[in-house]
């Protein structure tokens, strides 16, 4: 081996695969990655179960075309009934023993590349249903790490059940712009969040994503959604993942996160006990 | 196998993971867990506040023939030492009883459930040795900035 090669190796200690380096670069630059779902079977299962749960809650029979049904569910429910529908669907899905593993399987490799191969996953299911022109289901501009018990070590896996685009989707501020605007937050202390959004709006990225794709993003950058001005309903899940041994905030391992991949070497370490009791005689 | 119906609650008078939780809140969480899972909730036993004392838990374990199992407010009410916890699981399984943790929405029904249940506890116990002590501290210096964040969020 030549001296040059040895030298290069000693300088690059991030031994990522080429594909991982591409994802890392995208994630670092954009704050998110859109990726093809790694298991279409898992994704189709989740969408089908969601559609069945929604239809059941609406006293309807299971739809033949789950995607079309969800996309047009505004024909069957109004804003007043939306939260009951959402909660009913969540409760049904939480009753499925295989929901979480199917969700994870939609992006297992992506999450392991971006986060790590020992992971904690959010126990509860966060589901967003945004009817056209509904201003009651909005998430104003925010960074999760600012005030919602979240650790900045978390990544959100956002999975749409319908095609999401423009205001039917979500926006986020890329990390470089986020770093710039964070230093100016105080300028908006009297004007509030909407004024801040108007200021950053030219620099936000709206995520256009189709059913069949998944979105992984860092919720530590500013993000949110607006009134859905399309004539279709958005359905998307957002569930958090983080490295099992990375710092937690108010969302703790236990009631909020659960371990989903513990490697054997870690288990050996966790169970290790020093032998015997030696006493200074 | 136990013959009696219902699950005995178990709450504590000591801080749990560094936080005090009122008995009323612990009971509400355990009761709601039982409701969601279709379990009959029996009056809870309250552990003494004496550090490292598990006399009340021992009493429940000695009376497993009177119920179907125990519903802990949290799995972190169990003894800190892994070997002591394993003895608890063994005693429950031998009696054909179940151990539920309401806050974490998890349970041991058979031996196969122990690993997943135990993983959470052992990892949390190991976190102080992880980077940043396993805890992200959001404390920042500017009180004004903090007030702003509270106002806008």
């Amino acid at each position: 081996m030549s001296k040059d090669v040895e030298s290069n190796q000693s300088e690059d200690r991030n031994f990522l695969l080429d594909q991982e380096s591409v994802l890392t670069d995208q994630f670092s630059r954009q704050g998110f990655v859109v990726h093809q779902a790694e298991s279409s079977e898992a994704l189709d299962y989740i969408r089908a179960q969601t559609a069945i749960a929604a239809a059941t809650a609406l006293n309807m029979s299971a739809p033949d075309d789950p995607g079309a049904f969800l996309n047009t569910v505004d024909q069957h429910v109004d804003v007043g009934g939306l939260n009951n529908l959402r909660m009913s669907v969540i409760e049904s899905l939480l009753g499925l023993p295989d929901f979480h593993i199917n969700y994870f399987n939609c992006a297992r490799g992506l999450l392991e590349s971006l986060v790590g191969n020992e992971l904690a996953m959010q126990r509860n299911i966060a589901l967003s249903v945004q009817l056209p022109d509904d201003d009651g289901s909005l998430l104003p501009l925010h960074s999760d790490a600012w005030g919602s018990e979240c650790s900045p070590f978390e990544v959100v896996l956002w999975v749409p059940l319908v095609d999401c685009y423009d205001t039917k989707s979500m926006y986020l501020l890329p990390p470089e712009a986020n770093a710039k605007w964070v230093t100016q937050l105080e300028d908006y202390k009297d004007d509030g969040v909407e004024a801040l959004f108007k200021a950053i709006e030219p620099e936000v990225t709206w995520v256009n994503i189709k059913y069949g794709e998944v979105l992984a993003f860092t919720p530590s950058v500013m993000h949110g959604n607006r009134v859905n001005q399309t004539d279709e309903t958005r359905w998307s899940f957002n569930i958090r993942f983080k490295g099992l041994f990375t710092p937690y905030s108010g969302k703790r391992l236990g009631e909020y996160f659960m371990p989903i991949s513990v490697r054997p070497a870690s288990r050996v370490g966790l169970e290790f006990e020093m032998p015997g009791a030696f006493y200074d005689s | 196998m136990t013959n009696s119906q219902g699950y005995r609650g178990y709450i504590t008078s000591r801080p749990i993971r560094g936080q005090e939780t009122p008995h009323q809140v612990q009971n509400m969480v355990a009761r709601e867990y039982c409701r969601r899972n279709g379990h009959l909730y029996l009056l809870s036993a309250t552990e003494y506040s004496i550090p490292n004392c598990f006399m009340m838990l021992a009493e429940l374990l000695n009376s497993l023939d009177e119920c179907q199992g125990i519903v802990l407010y949290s799995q972190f009410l169990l003894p800190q030492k892994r070997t002591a916890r394993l003895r608890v699981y063994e005693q429950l399984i031998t009696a054909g009883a179940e151990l539920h943790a309401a806050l974490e929405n998890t349970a041991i029904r058979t031996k196969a459930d122990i690993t997943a249940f135990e993983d959470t506890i052992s990892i949390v116990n190991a976190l102080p040795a992880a980077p940043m002590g396993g805890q992200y501290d959001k404390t920042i210096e500017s009180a004004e900035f903090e007030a702003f964040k509270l106002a806008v969020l």
Side-chain angles (χ1 to χ4, degrees):
Chain A
M1 192 175 284
S2 72
K3 197 165 188 299
D4 284 348
V5 172
E6 285 175 13
S7 171
N8 284 341
Q9 283 182 338
S10 66
E11 286 170 10
D12 183 4
R13 297 292 170 83
N14 208 351
F15 296 161
L16 298 177
L17 300 171
D18 289 348
Q19 173 62 11
E20 290 178 317
S21 295
V22 170
L23 293 171
T24 298
D25 177 61
Q26 283 180 17
F27 189 80
S28 304
R29 201 165 20 85
Q30 302 177 152
F32 72 92
V33 171
V34 172
H35 202 262
Q36 199 66 30
E38 292 169 28
S39 169
S40 54
E41 292 82 7
L43 181 58
D44 288 344
Y45 171 79
I46 288 171
R47 185 174 69 168
Q49 292 298 323
T50 305
I52 290 168
T56 303
L58 295 169
N59 294 317
M60 298 170 65
S61 53
D64 294 331
D65 183 342
F69 168 69
L70 296 173
N71 209 32
T72 56
V73 81
D74 48 285
Q75 295 171 11
H76 309 290
V77 65
D78 59 17
V79 172
L82 182 59
N83 203 42
N84 283 344
L85 170 65
R86 200 175 62 85
M87 297 307 291
S88 176
V89 171
I90 289 172
E91 185 138 350
S92 295
L93 296 177
L94 281 172
L96 299 175
D98 50 3
F99 176 88
H100 287 82
I101 190 159
N102 276 293
Y103 196 87
F104 179 49
N105 282 341
C106 291
R108 177 186 288 264
L110 176 64
L111 290 165
E112 289 185 346
S113 294
L114 296 176
V115 186
N117 71 356
E118 289 193 299
L119 294 168
M121 179 180 184
Q122 179 180 329
R123 286 181 183 277
N124 282 330
I125 296 170
L127 170 64
S128 177
V129 185
Q130 258 194 294
L131 303 180
D133 299 318
D134 173 20
D135 61 1
S137 305
L138 298 183
L139 272 177
L141 176 67
H142 66 288
S143 155
D144 290 10
W146 288 351
S148 62
E149 298 186 318
C150 298
S151 158
F153 291 82
E154 296 165 12
V155 161
V156 173
L157 180 64
W158 199 95
V159 176
L161 301 184
V162 292
D163 294 348
C164 292
Y165 55 92
D166 301 335
T167 53
K168 189 184 174 190
S169 185
M170 60 165 285
Y171 64 83
L172 57 74
L173 192 59
E176 193 175 330
N178 188 75
K180 178 188 72 177
W181 281 103
V182 158
T183 64
Q184 299 173 45
L185 276 190
E186 200 168 0
D187 297 343
Y188 296 86
K189 64 182 179 185
D190 295 325
D191 297 331
V193 173
E194 185 61 18
L196 179 60
F197 172 75
K198 290 295 182 195
I200 69 164
E201 189 173 8
E203 295 177 58
V204 304
T205 302
W206 285 91
V207 181
N208 289 328
I209 180 170
K210 292 183 178 304
Y211 175 72
E213 297 176 320
V214 299
L215 161 70
F217 72 95
T218 169
S220 63
V221 297
M222 289 185 247
H223 62 280
N225 59 23
R226 306 291 288 177
V227 173
N228 174 7
Q229 293 177 327
T230 74
D231 56 4
E232 301 165 345
T233 298
R234 164 178 146 191
W235 287 76
S236 62
F237 292 104
N238 62 91
I239 291 184
R240 292 158 199 282
F241 292 82
K242 68 187 290 296
L244 194 52
F245 294 99
T246 59
Y248 293 78
S249 189
K251 296 187 188 305
R252 302 187 301 181
L253 186 67
E255 70 268 26
Y256 191 88
F257 283 105
M258 60 183 180
I260 58 164
S261 45
V262 185
R263 303 294 169 177
S266 294
R267 208 180 291 285
V268 168
L270 290 168
E271 295 174 5
F272 180 78
E273 289 183 23
M274 288 297 280
F278 288 80
Y279 299 99
D280 197 2
S281 55
Chain B
M1 212 48 156
T2 58
N3 294 319
S4 300
Q5 294 296 304
Y7 291 79
R8 181 69 66 192
Y10 178 71
I11 64 172
T12 189
S13 303
R14 299 196 287 262
I16 308 157
R17 300 178 73 179
Q19 294 177 345
E20 300 272 0
T21 308
H23 289 179
Q24 186 183 9
V25 173
Q26 294 183 54
N27 276 322
M28 283 169 60
V29 172
R31 196 182 305 118
E32 170 62 12
Y33 174 87
C34 285
R35 188 198 62 76
R36 273 191 282 117
N37 289 280
H39 297 332
L40 176 64
Y41 179 61
L42 304 176
L43 183 68
S44 58
T46 305
E47 190 55 80
Y48 300 146
S49 57
I50 306 161
N52 300 315
C53 172
F54 291 96
M55 286 174 63
M56 200 57 79
L57 179 60
E59 183 62 29
L60 293 187
L61 292 169
N62 289 332
S63 312
L64 288 173
D65 57 339
E66 296 171 10
C67 63
Q68 292 171 279
I70 298 172
V71 176
L72 310 167
Y73 158 66
S74 163
Q75 63 188 140
F76 294 93
L77 267 57
L78 292 173
Q80 183 80 5
K81 269 189 84 74
R82 176 180 159 77
T83 49
R85 293 195 300 274
L86 294 180
R87 279 199 299 274
V88 171
Y89 307 149
E90 184 64 35
Q91 206 168 337
L92 280 148
I93 287 167
T94 302
E98 298 177 358
L99 181 67
H100 295 258
L103 187 62
E104 294 83 13
N105 192 27
T106 188
I108 295 176
R109 295 181 178 86
T110 69
K111 261 189 175 167
D113 298 325
I114 292 177
T115 301
F117 191 93
E118 187 60 20
D119 274 349
T120 301
I121 300 175
S122 54
I123 292 165
V124 166
N125 287 343
L127 281 176
M132 299 170 70
Q135 182 65 31
Y136 186 79
D137 186 355
K138 292 187 181 177
T139 308
I140 57 170
E141 291 177 5
S142 164
E144 192 179 18
F145 184 50
E146 189 65 26
F148 164 70
K149 286 196 300 185
L150 285 173
V152 300
L153 294 173

